[in-house]
Amino acid sequence: MIANTDITAEIGKLRKEKNAIILAHYYQTDNIQDIADFVGDSLALSQKAASNNADIILFAGVKFMAETAKILVPEKKVLLPDMNAGCSLADSCKADDFKKFIYENPGRTIVTYVNTSAEIKALSDIICTSSNAIQIIESLPVNEKIIFAPDRNLGNYVLNKTGRDIVIWNGSCHVHEEFSLEGIIKLKEMYPKAKVIVHPECEMPVRLIADFIGSTSSLLSFTEKDNSNVYIVATEPGIIHQMKNANPKKMYLPVPPKDSTCGCSECNFMKLITIEKIYRCLKSETPEIKLDNDIIIKAGKPIRRMMEISEKLGL
Ligand code: 13P
Ligand code: SF4
């Protein structure tokens, strides 16, 4: 068994030998973010996956993110250190149920959030992430009728921002729906000058009291540019690592979950990835993401459509 202290060095060696790149989401543990070649939100990670010179992409994140990378660069080997790293939001939208929903809501453009299986993406017209959801909806003709899936909170947020005709799939993320409004109010009483920053996957009451709403990367850049000193952070607390790196003197307070005993403000799927699993995965080059060619072709179109719009808008 390899000592913990050597693992980082071994990962470094393997990464070089195999010409591999490690991409990590902001919700990964601090030590994983620190060894990654690139840390970002869903959109930035997709953009990085699509443009790099590595032969192997090791994804420190969840399955839908690794699948999106594979769809964008099918010729590359994409590794996910634990195939159980799923997503409750992606799981809340199964292909057979979604086909029925599309059938019941005919004539609508299908916009799906990237937090979905490859099969759902293959049924979609265009994909979005939390960084570009509003811009993707606004890129469609004004009178276009839309289906938005799977996140009801992001869907509701986008509907209110754009005023478009949108029917929304009733899915949600178990982490973001757990943030406690009372917990935020208590923190605000203790730190009256704190700004409340919120991911759009949170429920409406939490969004309503936010000073700023945005994707993980926009929450991070908000704390970098804003001149307050204290932030109440309503998203997975992994992001706080980068906030502290950028501005160590500021204070970042994670919002507690509604059930104070459950520890469920952390994404248990994201946290399945560990440094040890990254080492074993890079060494053995398994588990590897494998997708049917047909799915890669069908899911690739709506993803690339999103990437092109994002690039044009400089996102
Ligand atoms: P981002 O788009 O901000 O990376 O969010 C991804 C996610 O899974 C949020 O729960
Ligand atoms: Fe999925 Fe929620 Fe985890 Fe994000 S935080 S990966 S939406 S379960």
Side-chain angles (χ1 to χ4, degrees), residues 27 62 64 86-89 115 173-176 201 267 269-270:
Y27 297 164
V62 291
F64 75 81
C87 167
S88 58
L89 179 53
N115 298 40
C173 157
H174 72 298
V175 178
H176 285 85
E201 285 175 25
C267 176
F269 297 111
M270 285 278 180

Side-chain angles (χ1 to χ4, degrees), residues 25-27 40-43 62 64-65 87 89 113-115 129-131 173 176 199 201 214-217 235 270:
H25 190 267
Y26 289 127
Y27 297 164
D41 70 353
S42 300
L43 178 63
V62 291
F64 75 81
M65 297 176 175
C87 167
L89 179 53
Y113 192 31
V114 71
N115 298 40
T129 76
S130 55
S131 271
C173 157
H176 285 85
H199 195 281
E201 285 175 25
S215 68
T216 45
S217 60
T235 192
M270 285 278 180

Side-chain angles (χ1 to χ4, degrees), residues 29-101:
T29 53
D30 299 0
N31 59 347
I32 293 178
Q33 293 189 38
D34 290 344
I35 61 142
D37 295 286
F38 182 81
V39 186
D41 70 353
S42 300
L43 178 63
L45 289 167
S46 302
Q47 289 165 331
K48 190 70 188 172
S51 63
N52 67 78
N53 298 320
D55 296 314
I56 297 178
I57 297 174
L58 185 143
F59 227 103
V62 291
K63 198 171 177 191
F64 75 81
M65 297 176 175
E67 282 185 347
T68 305
K70 183 69 187 173
I71 293 164
L72 284 166
V73 279
E75 68 283 4
K76 295 199 183 194
K77 192 174 254 190
V78 178
L79 304 173
L80 181 66
D82 190 326
M83 280 293 172
N84 291 318
C87 167
S88 58
L89 179 53
D91 286 347
S92 69
C93 190
K94 302 280 187 228
D96 283 346
D97 300 332
F98 194 49
K99 280 182 197 161
K100 198 166 160 250
F101 188 73

Side-chain angles (χ1 to χ4, degrees), residues 15-258:
R15 179 163 39 187
K16 236 184 182 167
E17 268 167 40
K18 297 180 184 237
N19 189 27
I21 187 173
I22 300 176
L23 305 184
H25 190 267
Y26 289 127
Y27 297 164
Q28 292 291 294
T29 53
D30 299 0
N31 59 347
I32 293 178
Q33 293 189 38
D34 290 344
I35 61 142
D37 295 286
F38 182 81
V39 186
D41 70 353
S42 300
L43 178 63
L45 289 167
S46 302
Q47 289 165 331
K48 190 70 188 172
S51 63
N52 67 78
N53 298 320
D55 296 314
I56 297 178
I57 297 174
L58 185 143
F59 227 103
V62 291
K63 198 171 177 191
F64 75 81
M65 297 176 175
E67 282 185 347
T68 305
K70 183 69 187 173
I71 293 164
L72 284 166
V73 279
E75 68 283 4
K76 295 199 183 194
K77 192 174 254 190
V78 178
L79 304 173
L80 181 66
D82 190 326
M83 280 293 172
N84 291 318
C87 167
S88 58
L89 179 53
D91 286 347
S92 69
C93 190
K94 302 280 187 228
D96 283 346
D97 300 332
F98 194 49
K99 280 182 197 161
K100 198 166 160 250
F101 188 73
I102 296 170
Y103 180 77
E104 285 164 357
N105 293 281
R108 288 178 178 263
T109 298
I110 301 159
V111 182
T112 57
Y113 192 31
V114 71
N115 298 40
T116 48
S117 66
E119 228 180 332
I120 296 288
K121 289 186 178 77
L123 296 169
S124 308
D125 294 304
I126 188 160
I127 307 300
C128 71
T129 76
S130 55
S131 271
N132 60 20
I134 290 171
Q135 292 90 337
I136 293 293
I137 297 283
E138 282 178 343
S139 74
L140 302 172
V142 180
N143 293 325
E144 202 144 314
K145 293 179 188 302
I146 296 162
I147 284 177
F148 186 91
D151 190 60
R152 59 181 173 220
N153 297 307
L154 178 63
N156 186 270
Y157 171 68
V158 167
L159 186 150
N160 289 334
K161 284 275 176 194
T162 63
R164 297 295 183 96
D165 179 345
I166 309 177
V167 293
I168 302 168
W169 178 265
N170 192 21
S172 63
C173 157
H174 72 298
V175 178
H176 285 85
E177 286 213 327
E178 256 312 299
F179 291 122
S180 157
L181 183 63
E182 276 175 26
I184 297 177
I185 293 167
K186 273 189 194 145
L187 287 170
K188 192 79 184 161
E189 278 165 6
M190 286 159 70
Y191 300 94
K193 287 190 179 156
K195 284 201 177 143
V196 181
I197 58 173
V198 170
H199 195 281
E201 285 175 25
C202 292
E203 290 175 317
M204 169 101 81
V206 172
R207 295 199 313 274
L208 281 175
I209 58 163
D211 292 291
F212 181 77
I213 301 174
S215 68
T216 45
S217 60
S218 28
L219 298 182
L220 174 60
S221 56
F222 180 79
T223 60
E224 284 172 17
K225 290 175 198 147
D226 181 67
N227 56 15
S228 309
N229 288 314
V230 189
Y231 300 91
I232 297 170
V233 184
T235 192
E236 216 273 1
I239 184 70
I240 292 177
H241 182 53
Q242 297 300 330
M243 292 175 175
K244 281 185 184 160
N245 279 350
N247 256 309
K249 287 194 178 139
K250 294 187 175 187
M251 194 187 246
Y252 310 94
L253 307 164
V255 175
K258 290 172 192 160

